[in-house]
C-alpha cells in the first residue's frame, strides 16, 4: 500500500513520513489499515520485532487526533517512554502535541489534558485512574506496547487491569495492542474485541540457527563456517566473524557477572576493528561514564567501552544505560553483552544476536531452568536493522550434537508460549481490588465481580469459582486491615478456603450480591499512594508498635520489609553478619521480629535489615564507591534502592498523618536523609539548590550550618569550601544572597581553620562509618 493512498491523517503527516524515507507501508502495516486501524477500530498486531509495529500505532493515533480525539501510548519501561516521546515529538512539526509522564504516582498530571499524544508506563496510567485524572475520559485511542507482558507475574496484572478500566471509562475507545508473535494472539484479540493481524513477516530476513563445533547451522538447512581458533570461546569467534564484515553483535547471558566478564573478553576482539576516529569518540564516551559514577562498575564499563565493547544490566545507572544504548545504535560500540533486560522493548538491534545462556537460576525450580520460548524469541528478534543490515542472524550455542538438536527442538522450531493472565495471584489482586473500590469502579460486591469478569483472566479461567474465591480472600484481608468496609449482604466465612464446593460458593455469592463495599479513609490513602496494601499494613503496624521515636535504621528496615521494596539477598556467610547486627540493634527495629528458628521468615527479616543498613550507610554519607563494593551491587541498584526508599518513606509519612501517629516528623526526616544521603544536621543546607551531600558537608565543616549562613558568611570561606567561583555564585544566589558575585574574592579558611568537631552526624557506630573525600560523585553529590 502506497503512503499516499492513506486518508484521515492530519495535514502534513504524509509529507513528514515521506521525508523520513517512507513511501510504502510494510505488509503488516497495510493489513492493519485494512483491518480498520485508521478508522478507529480496535486491533491486535502480533508481528516480529522491527516489522513496523510503531508505525501501526502512529497511524492509529494520528487518525484519532484528526477526528478530534486524544491518544495514549502505554509502554512497559521508563526508558522506552523516553524513546517513544522523542520519536513522536517529530509530529509537532504538523501540529500534534506530545507529553510524557512516568513518575509521581500521586499526581493526576492535569497539564497533559492539553496534549494530543501522551506516553506513559502502565503503572503511571493505573495511578492516574486511581487519582481520578479527568482527562482520561477524553481518550479515544489507547496503544498498549508489548502487550504480551500481561504474562509477567509482576507487571502484567497492572497492564491488564488498566486496559480493562480504560475500556470501561471510554466505551467504544479504540485499543491497539502491539505484541511479539505469541501462541494465543487470537485470545487477546477476543478479549479486547479487536481484529487480529498475526504474521511472521519481517523487512530483514532473519536466520535462526545453532553454532556447534566450527559450523553455524541455520533453520533453512544452510550452513556458515565460523571456526573457533585455539582457546577462543564460541561467542568470541561469532563476534569476530561478524565484525570482520562490518556488523555488530548482541550477546545475551544469564547474570550480571557473566555480562561483565564477557564484555571484558569481547573487548579484546572489538578493539582490533576500531578506527582512530572511533577510538577518540570512545575515549570521550568512557570519560562520561566515569563522570557519572565513581564506582568499580563504572570503571569496568568505561574500560570496556574504550575497546568498543560494553555490558548492559539493571545494575547500571539510567545515564550509563542510555549512553551505551545510543552508542550501540550509532554503531560506535561494536558488541554488547547483556542480561535479558535489554530485550524488553528498547530499540537496540544488531546484525548478529548470540544467545549464549539459555538457562538461568530459578528459585522456584531449585536451580537452573530453561528460558521460555517467547523470551528467547524476543532476544533473537533484535537481529537485523532495516537500512543498515542486509540480514539478521540469531544464534544459540551448543557444546555437543545432542545440545544442538535440543536447541533446534526447544527454541528454533518451537512456537512461543501462550500469554496467560497472572491477575488471580493474591498479591496482585489485593492491590487492584482496593484500587477498584477506592476509585469508585465498584461500589458493591456484584459490581466488583462484574468488573473482574471483564479481565483477560476471567476470559481464560476454566476453574469454576476460582476468581470469586480469591476475591473473597482479598476482601477479608482488606477489611481486617481497615482498608475497606463491607455493609449489607450476609456474613462472610472466616476462611474463603472453607467453602466445600463451587456450589456452596455460588450460593454464598448470590446472597452477597447487595453487599456494599467502600474504601476507608486509610484505604483511599493507600490506593492514592500506589502502595501494595500489604506494604501499607506493614508500615502502619510498625509505626503503631513503636514506643520510642524510631531511628533511621528502624524505619529503613521497616520499608525494606514491604513487598514494594526489592530487598537485597543474603550472600554466603552474611546470615551470621546481619544476625549479629540484628541482636545489636534489635531494640530499634519496628514490629514483631520472627524467631531465628523460623528459617524463612528470619532470613527475610535479615535481608530487609541488610537493605535497611545500606540505606542507613548512604544516609551517613558513605561514598557510592564504598557502598557498591561493600554490598556487591551496581550503581543502578543503589540508586534504585534510594529512590524506592524515598517513595516508600514519603508514603509512610502520609500514612503516619492518616493514623495520627506521633512519629510523623521522624519519618519525614528519615525520608529527607535518604533522599539527599546526609546526616540530620545537613538537611537545611541541602535544601539550597546546587548543594548536595559533599558540598553540604564541606560547608558545615567551616561553620556554615543553614541557608541563612550562606547569606552572611565571608565569601572567601564559602569559596574555599565550594572549590569554584561559578559554583559558589550559583549557590549564594539560590540561598538568596543580595550580592552573590565572587569577583575579586580569594579563598580563605574559617576562624577555626576549617576544622569542626562533629559528634552529631548519625546514630551509627563510628566503626560502621567511613569518611568522604572531596571528589564529586553523581548520586546526590554536587
Amino acid at each position: 500500500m502506497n503512503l499516499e493512498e492513506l486518508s484521515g491523517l492530519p495535514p502534513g503527516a504524509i509529507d513528514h513520513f515521506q521525508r523520513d524515507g517512507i513511501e510504502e507501508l510494510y505488509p503488516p502495516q497495510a493489513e492493519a489499515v485494512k483491518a480498520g486501524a485508521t478508522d478507529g477500530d480496535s486491533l491486535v498486531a502480533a508481528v516480529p520485532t522491527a516489522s513496523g509495529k510503531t508505525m501501526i500505532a502512529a497511524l492509529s493515533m494520528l487518525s484519532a487526533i484528526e477526528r478530534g480525539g486524544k491518544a495514549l501510548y502505554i509502554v512497559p519501561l521508563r526508558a522506552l517512554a523516553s524513546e517513544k516521546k522523542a520519536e513522536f515529538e517529530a509530529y509537532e512539526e504538523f501540529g500534534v502535541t506530545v507529553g510524557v509522564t512516568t513518575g509521581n504516582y500521586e499526581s493526576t498530571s492535569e497539564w497533559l489534558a492539553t496534549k494530543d499524544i501522551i506516553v506513559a508506563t502502565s503503572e503511571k496510567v493505573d495511578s492516574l485512574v486511581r487519582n481520578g485524572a479527568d482527562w482520561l475520559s477524553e481518550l479515544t485511542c489507547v496503544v498498549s506496547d508489548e502487550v504480551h507482558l500481561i504474562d509477567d507475574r509482576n507487571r502484567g496484572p497492572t497492564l491488564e487491569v488498566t486496559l480493562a478500566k480504560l475500556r470501561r471509562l471510554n466505551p467504544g475507545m479504540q485499543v491497539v495492542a502491539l505484541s511479539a508473535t505469541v501462541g494465543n494472539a487470537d485470545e487477546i484479540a477476543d478479549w479486547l474485541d479487536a481484529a487480529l493481524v498475526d504474521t511472521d513477516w519481517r523487512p530483514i530476513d532473519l536466520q535462526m540457527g545453532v553454532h556447534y563445533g566450527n559450523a553455524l547451522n541455520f533453520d533453512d538447512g544452510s550452513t556458515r563456517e565460523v571456526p573457533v581458533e585455539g582457546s577462543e570461546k564460541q561467542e568470541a569467534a561469532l563476534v569476530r566473524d561478524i565484525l570482520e564484515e562490518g556488523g555488530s553483535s548482541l550477546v545475551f547471558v544469564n547474570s550480571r557477572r557473566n555480562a561483565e566478564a564477557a564484555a571484558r573478553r569481547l573487548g579484546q576482539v572489538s578493539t582490533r576493528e576500531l578506527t582512530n576516529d572511533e577510538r577518540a569518540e570512545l575515549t570521550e564516551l568512557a570519560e562520561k561514564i566515569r563522570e557519572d559514577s565513581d564506582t568499580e562498575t563504572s570503571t569496568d564499563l568505561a574500560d570496556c567501552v574504550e575497546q568498543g565493547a560494553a555490558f548492559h544490566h539493571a545494575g547500571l545507572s539510567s545515564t550509563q544505560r542510555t549512553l551505551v544504548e545510543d552508542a550501540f545504535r550509532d554503531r560506535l560500540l561494536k558488541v554488547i553483552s547483556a542480561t535479558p533486560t535489554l530485550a524488553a522493548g528498547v530499540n537496540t538491534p544488531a546484525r548478529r544476536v548470540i544467545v549464549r545462556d539459555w538457562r538461568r537460576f530459578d528459585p522456584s525450580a531449585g536451580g537452573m531452568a530453561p528460558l521460555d520460548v517467547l523470551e528467547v524469541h524476543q532476544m533473537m528478534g533484535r537481529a537485523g536493522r532495516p537500512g543498515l543490515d542486509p540480514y539478521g542472524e540469531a544464534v544459540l550455542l551448543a557444546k555437543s550434537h545432542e545440545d544442538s538438536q535440543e536447541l533446534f527442538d526447544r527454541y528454533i522450531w518451537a512456537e512461543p508460549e501462550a500469554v496467560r493472565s497472572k491477575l488471580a495471584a493474591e498479591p496482585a489482586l489485593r492491590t487492584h481490588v482496593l484500587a477498584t473500590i477506592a476509585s469508585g469502579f465498584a461500589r458493591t460486591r456484584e459490581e466488583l465481580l462484574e468488573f473482574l469478569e471483564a479481565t483477560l483472566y476471567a476470559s481464560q479461567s476454566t476453574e469454576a469459582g476460582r476468581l470469586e474465591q480469591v476475591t473473597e480472600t482479598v476482601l477479608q484481608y482488606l477489611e481486617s486491615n481497615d482498608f475497606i468496609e463491607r455493609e449489607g449482604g450476609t456474613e462472610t466465612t472466616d476462611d474463603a478456603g472453607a467453602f466445600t464446593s463451587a456450589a456452596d460458593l455460588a450460593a454464598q455469592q448470590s446472597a452477597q450480591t447487595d453487599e456494599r463495599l467502600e474504601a476507608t479513609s486509610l484505604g483511599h490513602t493507600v490506593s492514592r499512594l500506589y502502595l501494595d496494601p500489604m506494604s501499607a499494613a506493614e508500615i502502619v503496624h510498625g509505626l503503631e508498635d513503636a514506643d520510642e521515636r524510631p531511628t533511621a535504621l528502624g524505619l529503613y528496615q521497616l520499608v525494606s520489609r514491604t513487598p514494594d521494596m526489592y530487598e537485597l539477598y543474603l550472600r554466603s556467610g552474611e546470615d551470621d553478619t546481619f544476625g549479629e547486627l540484628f541482636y545489636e540493634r534489635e531494640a530499634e527495629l519496628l514490629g514483631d521480629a520472627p524467631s531465628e528458628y523460623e528459617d524463612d521468615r528470619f532470613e527475610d527479616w535479615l535481608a530487609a535489615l541488610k537493605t535497611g543498613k545500606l540505606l542507613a550507610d548512604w544516609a551517613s554519607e558513605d561514598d557510592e564507591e564504598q557502598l557498591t563494593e561493600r554490598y556487591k551491587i551496581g550503581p543502578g541498584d543503589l540508586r534504585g534502592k534510594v529512590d524506592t526508599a524515598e517513595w516508600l518513606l514519603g508514603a509512610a509519612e502520609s500514612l503516619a498523618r492518616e493514623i495520627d501517629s506521633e512519629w510523623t516528623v521522624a519519618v519525614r526526616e528519615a525520608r529527607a536523609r535518604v533522599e539527599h544521603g546526609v546526616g540530620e544536621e545537613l538537611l537545611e543546607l541541602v535544601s539550597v539548590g546546587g548543594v548536595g551531600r559533599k558540598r553540604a558537608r564541606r560547608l558545615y565543616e567551616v561553620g556554615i550550618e543553614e541557608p541563612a549562613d550562606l547569606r552572611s558568611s565571608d565569601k572567601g570561606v564559602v569559596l574555599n569550601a565550594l572549590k569554584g567561583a561559578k559554583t559558589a555564585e550559583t549557590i549564594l544566589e539560590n540561598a538568596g544572597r543580595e550580592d552573590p558575585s565572587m569577583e575579586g574574592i580569594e579563598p580563605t579558611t574559617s576562624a577555626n581553620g576549617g576544622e569542626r568537631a562533629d559528634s552529631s552526624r548519625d546514630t551509627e557506630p563510628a566503626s560502621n562509618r567511613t569518611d568522604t573525600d572531596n571528589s564529586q560523585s553523581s548520586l546526590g553529590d554536587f
Side-chain angles (χ1 to χ4, degrees):
M1 179 182 287
N2 193 289
L3 204 62
E4 293 182 345
E5 296 177 47
L6 295 175
S7 60
L9 300 179
I14 290 178
D15 289 342
H16 166 81
F17 291 126
Q18 288 176 330
R19 283 195 297 274
D20 279 351
I22 301 173
E23 293 289 345
E24 214 172 347
L25 295 182
Y26 288 158
Q29 297 164 348
E31 192 175 340
V33 171
K34 292 175 183 176
T38 55
D39 297 323
D41 296 333
S42 291
L43 176 77
V44 171
V47 298
T49 300
S51 298
K53 290 195 291 287
T54 301
M55 186 64 170
I56 294 173
L59 295 176
S60 303
M61 293 190 297
L62 292 174
S63 60
I65 292 164
E66 180 63 11
R67 292 191 298 271
K70 179 187 290 287
L72 173 67
Y73 192 101
I74 302 175
V75 293
L77 302 170
R78 290 190 181 193
L80 197 54
S82 300
E83 182 180 306
K84 294 303 178 185
K85 176 178 181 284
E87 186 174 342
F88 298 149
E89 278 180 336
Y91 304 160
E92 292 182 353
E93 69 177 45
F94 53 85
V96 173
T97 57
V98 179
V100 63
T101 178
T102 58
N104 190 358
Y105 291 142
E106 294 180 66
S107 165
T108 57
S109 301
E110 288 301 327
W111 63 276
L112 292 170
T114 62
K115 302 297 183 182
D116 297 316
I117 296 176
I118 297 102
V119 182
T121 60
S122 54
E123 288 82 7
K124 178 59 182 179
V125 179
D126 185 26
S127 77
L128 289 167
V129 174
R130 297 185 190 201
N131 286 281
D134 292 335
W135 56 267
L136 289 174
S137 61
E138 301 170 11
L139 294 173
T140 58
C141 175
V142 169
V143 177
S144 179
D145 200 357
E146 310 286 346
V147 74
H148 54 272
L149 291 177
I150 281 177
D151 193 78
D152 183 88
R153 187 168 298 279
N154 296 316
R155 310 186 78 173
T158 296
L159 176 57
E160 179 180 350
V161 169
T162 297
L163 288 174
K165 287 182 176 177
L166 290 175
R167 294 181 70 204
R168 183 163 172 178
L169 269 175
N170 304 285
M173 178 184 73
Q174 179 185 23
V175 177
V176 178
L178 309 177
S179 172
T181 304
V182 295
N184 62 333
D186 54 339
E187 264 189 12
I188 298 173
D190 288 344
W191 169 53
L192 294 173
D193 300 315
L196 174 63
V197 173
D198 191 357
T199 177
D200 58 4
W201 183 91
R202 284 175 51 101
I204 298 293
D205 183 43
L206 173 64
Q207 289 186 296
M208 296 190 294
V210 176
H211 185 269
Y212 166 55
N214 292 320
L216 181 49
N217 301 301
F218 292 110
D219 52 346
D220 62 359
S222 63
T223 299
R224 175 171 177 161
E225 289 297 315
V226 183
V228 179
E229 301 174 351
S231 61
E232 193 177 39
K233 291 186 177 293
Q234 281 177 283
E235 62 268 28
L238 288 161
V239 168
R240 171 179 51 77
D241 174 69
I242 208 70
L243 279 175
E244 287 173 353
E245 65 168 53
S248 60
S249 299
L250 275 176
V251 180
F252 286 104
V253 298
N254 60 10
S255 72
R256 297 182 187 185
R257 181 177 297 178
N258 285 340
E260 295 176 12
R264 286 191 289 271
R265 289 193 304 271
L266 295 172
Q268 298 171 19
V269 178
S270 58
T271 190
R272 299 196 293 265
E273 302 297 325
L274 298 176
T275 66
N276 289 335
D277 287 346
E278 287 175 332
R279 290 184 192 280
E281 287 186 66
L282 287 168
T283 298
E284 291 181 15
L285 178 62
E287 189 55 35
K288 289 180 182 178
I289 290 169
R290 292 188 180 98
E291 289 173 356
D292 177 67
S293 172
D294 56 1
T295 64
E296 184 179 351
T297 299
S298 301
T299 301
D300 290 346
L301 177 60
D303 291 346
C304 290
V305 163
E306 287 181 318
Q307 298 188 83
F311 52 84
H312 187 292
H313 55 59
L316 301 184
S317 71
S318 59
T319 298
Q320 291 168 350
R321 289 196 298 269
T322 299
L323 288 171
V324 167
E325 291 161 12
D326 289 346
F328 188 71
R329 280 193 287 266
D330 293 340
R331 299 293 165 103
L332 180 59
L333 285 172
K334 307 304 180 184
V335 57
I336 294 179
S337 58
T339 55
T341 53
L342 190 59
V346 180
N347 181 26
T348 49
R351 185 170 301 178
R352 179 174 284 165
V353 169
I354 302 162
V355 183
R356 193 193 78 177
D357 300 335
W358 51 277
R359 294 185 182 92
R360 68 164 164 242
F361 181 74
D362 182 352
S364 64
M368 304 297 285
L371 298 176
D372 289 342
V373 177
L374 178 58
E375 188 169 2
V376 171
H377 282 198
Q378 280 285 92
M379 298 177 198
M380 291 176 147
R382 296 283 153 209
R385 186 206 287 187
L388 281 179
D389 296 315
Y391 61 89
E393 286 182 355
V395 185
L396 290 145
L397 307 185
K399 301 296 184 185
S400 66
H401 178 73
E402 291 74 17
D403 274 355
S404 179
Q405 191 57 50
E406 179 184 358
L407 290 173
F408 268 102
D409 291 340
R410 182 184 290 276
Y411 294 115
I412 304 296
W413 292 325
E415 291 296 319
E417 297 85 0
V419 170
R420 306 296 300 178
S421 168
K422 302 299 188 293
L423 180 60
E426 191 177 320
L429 203 58
R430 66 176 174 244
T431 296
H432 293 295
V433 164
L434 176 59
T436 301
I437 296 169
S439 58
F441 269 86
R443 292 182 171 84
T444 67
R445 193 175 188 280
E446 183 179 26
E447 289 179 0
L448 175 62
L449 291 172
E450 181 184 339
F451 169 73
L452 293 173
E453 283 296 327
T455 62
L456 178 63
Y457 174 79
S459 70
Q460 291 182 328
S461 179
T462 57
E463 185 180 349
R466 166 67 177 162
L467 184 59
E468 293 86 346
Q469 185 173 340
V470 178
T471 301
E472 178 57 36
T473 302
V474 167
L475 288 173
Q476 290 178 23
Y477 175 83
L478 295 175
E479 184 181 28
S480 67
N481 284 282
D482 299 322
F483 297 140
I484 66 168
E485 293 176 346
R486 307 170 72 174
E487 299 177 2
T490 61
E491 290 292 319
T492 60
T493 78
D494 290 333
D495 180 3
F499 296 115
T500 57
S501 68
D504 291 338
L505 177 61
Q508 169 118 352
Q509 289 156 1
S510 178
Q512 292 175 328
T513 55
D514 60 344
E515 182 182 52
R516 292 184 297 280
L517 305 174
E518 185 175 355
T520 62
S521 178
L522 179 60
H524 277 288
T525 298
V526 173
S527 180
R528 175 176 55 80
L529 293 170
Y530 208 70
L531 281 177
D532 183 326
M534 187 172 282
S535 294
E538 189 79 39
I539 290 169
V540 168
H541 296 158
L543 292 175
E544 290 177 339
D545 179 68
D547 295 323
E548 297 179 353
R549 191 182 199 271
T551 65
L553 177 65
L555 289 166
Y556 297 153
Q557 197 261 357
L558 173 63
V559 298
S560 296
R561 295 203 308 262
T562 67
D564 283 307
M565 173 68 84
Y566 187 75
E567 62 191 23
L568 300 175
Y569 67 89
L570 295 177
R571 297 177 179 272
S572 176
E574 287 188 337
D575 50 348
D576 291 335
T577 302
F578 288 97
E580 290 177 13
L581 181 64
F582 165 69
Y583 291 116
E584 288 174 15
R585 312 286 290 273
E586 183 176 7
E588 297 179 49
L589 306 184
L590 306 175
D592 296 325
S595 162
E596 62 182 300
Y597 300 108
E598 299 175 78
D599 291 343
D600 290 342
R601 287 190 63 218
F602 192 66
E603 184 172 332
D604 284 343
W605 189 272
L606 293 185
L609 179 57
K610 178 182 177 181
T611 310
K613 185 63 168 58
L614 165 68
L615 297 168
D617 288 351
W618 164 250
S620 298
E621 300 171 46
D622 285 8
D623 276 349
E624 184 179 2
E625 182 179 13
Q626 294 164 332
L627 292 175
T628 54
E629 174 59 29
R630 185 181 305 156
Y631 290 93
K632 307 301 180 188
I633 57 175
D637 298 307
L638 175 58
R639 297 174 194 204
K641 294 290 180 290
V642 168
D643 288 345
T644 303
E646 182 188 345
W647 164 56
L648 286 171
L649 287 162
E653 184 183 346
S654 296
L655 292 172
R657 285 196 300 268
E658 181 66 41
I659 64 174
D660 200 24
S661 171
E662 61 184 306
W663 310 128
T664 305
V665 174
V667 176
R668 183 183 307 138
E669 289 180 354
R671 184 204 60 76
R673 287 190 58 199
V674 83
E675 176 188 359
H676 298 287
V678 296
E680 186 177 334
E681 72 277 11
L682 299 187
L683 287 176
E684 288 194 62
L685 277 176
V686 292
S687 68
V688 177
V691 179
R693 63 199 311 240
K694 292 188 176 180
R695 289 175 182 166
R697 178 54 60 191
R698 292 200 297 266
L699 288 168
Y700 190 85
E701 288 174 348
V702 297
I704 298 171
E705 302 181 10
E706 56 187 31
D709 294 336
L710 286 168
R711 295 192 287 272
S712 59
S713 294
D714 183 284
K715 286 184 177 180
V717 174
V718 174
L719 181 58
N720 187 58
L722 294 177
K723 313 297 184 186
K726 186 174 181 181
T727 297
E729 285 182 355
T730 300
I731 288 173
L732 290 182
E733 184 176 358
N734 292 340
R737 186 144 183 165
E738 189 173 338
D739 176 20
S741 173
M742 283 286 166
E743 186 175 352
I745 303 298
E746 294 295 328
T748 60
T749 59
S750 62
N752 62 8
E755 300 296 331
R756 180 187 188 89
D758 184 13
S759 61
S760 59
R761 256 179 89 171
D762 197 70
T763 55
E764 288 286 298
S767 61
N768 289 342
R769 292 204 307 266
T770 53
D771 294 328
T772 59
D773 60 21
N774 288 331
S775 65
Q776 296 296 298
S777 187
S778 62
L779 183 51
D781 297 346
F782 297 95

